[in-house]
Amino acid sequence: IYDTSKFLNITLYNQNEVDKLYQIIPIFTACYSLFHLYEVLKQKPDFFIHGILLFGTSIYCYVFNKNHYLAASLIIESSTIFLHLSRAFSYFYLKILFVLTFILYRGLIFPYITYKHIYNHFYKLIILEFETIAVLFIAFSFNILNLNWIKMIFERLIYKKYD
């Protein structure tokens, strides 16, 4: 987890070549995603899509022994901590931390991890290897969802500025 190169290039490693923490965290995510799915049934479709992606990705990674792939990507979920805190406590700095971490993790770091996956496995993409295509499909799905949410954040910021 402390090796940045391994973290950003996680798909170059087998599960037995990384810290056990990479393998354990996604199991908790799979459990949380069930709660998340139930919680978002009453919300907007994009949250439900997020829940389906989170649960499906967790199961895929578990079944194919790729939990360590998911652990590096889960950094994007850490921005959610500030979202929930800002809803519970009305401190302006929590909203700022949410926006900054959301844009940093979901708008920069995760797309970069996706780029590294394409770069590291370009040959496998050309020969249409299933695992590489599946991981890329999942990553692009999350990236599209995240970019949509970033657009919504900027729209709200602009709306509030001129409101």
Side-chain angles (χ1 to χ4, degrees):
I1 299 241
Y2 304 108
D3 183 348
T4 307
S5 178
K6 191 175 275 190
F7 181 81
L8 293 174
N9 297 290
I10 196 67
T11 58
L12 291 176
Y13 300 92
N14 291 319
Q15 198 161 275
N16 62 346
E17 297 175 308
V18 296
D19 191 290
K20 293 278 186 213
L21 197 53
Y22 277 104
Q23 300 166 34
I24 295 169
I25 292 173
I27 294 170
F28 290 106
T29 303
C31 296
Y32 167 76
S33 66
L34 288 174
F35 167 76
H36 179 63
L37 270 173
Y38 175 75
E39 190 177 57
V40 299
L41 282 174
K42 303 166 229 140
Q43 295 181 5
K44 297 178 184 174
D46 53 338
F47 289 105
F48 185 71
I49 292 168
H50 176 266
I52 293 289
L53 279 171
L54 194 59
F55 180 71
T57 302
S58 299
I59 297 303
Y60 172 83
C61 289
Y62 181 77
V63 168
F64 292 101
N65 294 318
K66 302 296 179 191
N67 277 358
H68 59 299
Y69 284 19
L70 185 57
S73 302
L74 285 175
I75 191 170
I76 67 176
E77 296 299 328
S78 61
S79 63
T80 307
I81 295 166
F82 297 114
L83 175 64
H84 290 296
L85 285 173
S86 71
R87 289 178 178 166
F89 307 102
S90 57
Y91 296 120
F92 183 70
Y93 73 89
L94 290 172
K95 292 178 182 180
I96 296 294
L97 287 172
F98 165 69
V99 169
L100 291 176
T101 56
F102 194 93
I103 292 169
L104 175 67
Y105 296 146
R106 294 176 186 244
L108 298 172
I109 293 176
F110 190 68
Y112 184 71
I113 290 172
T114 303
Y115 161 77
K116 293 296 282 183
H117 178 72
I118 294 168
Y119 180 82
N120 291 332
H121 300 282
F122 189 71
Y123 175 74
K124 292 177 183 177
L125 284 171
I126 291 172
I127 63 168
L128 301 176
E129 180 194 62
F130 172 77
E131 177 186 310
T132 304
I133 299 293
V135 169
L136 200 56
F137 174 79
I138 292 166
F140 275 138
S141 298
F142 274 111
N143 278 308
I144 290 167
L145 195 57
N146 290 331
L147 288 175
N148 179 57
W149 284 339
I150 289 170
K151 181 182 105 118
M152 289 171 56
I153 287 171
F154 279 118
E155 287 172 351
R156 285 185 184 170
L157 289 173
I158 291 168
Y159 177 74
K160 284 191 182 236
K161 180 179 177 182
Y162 294 108
D163 188 24

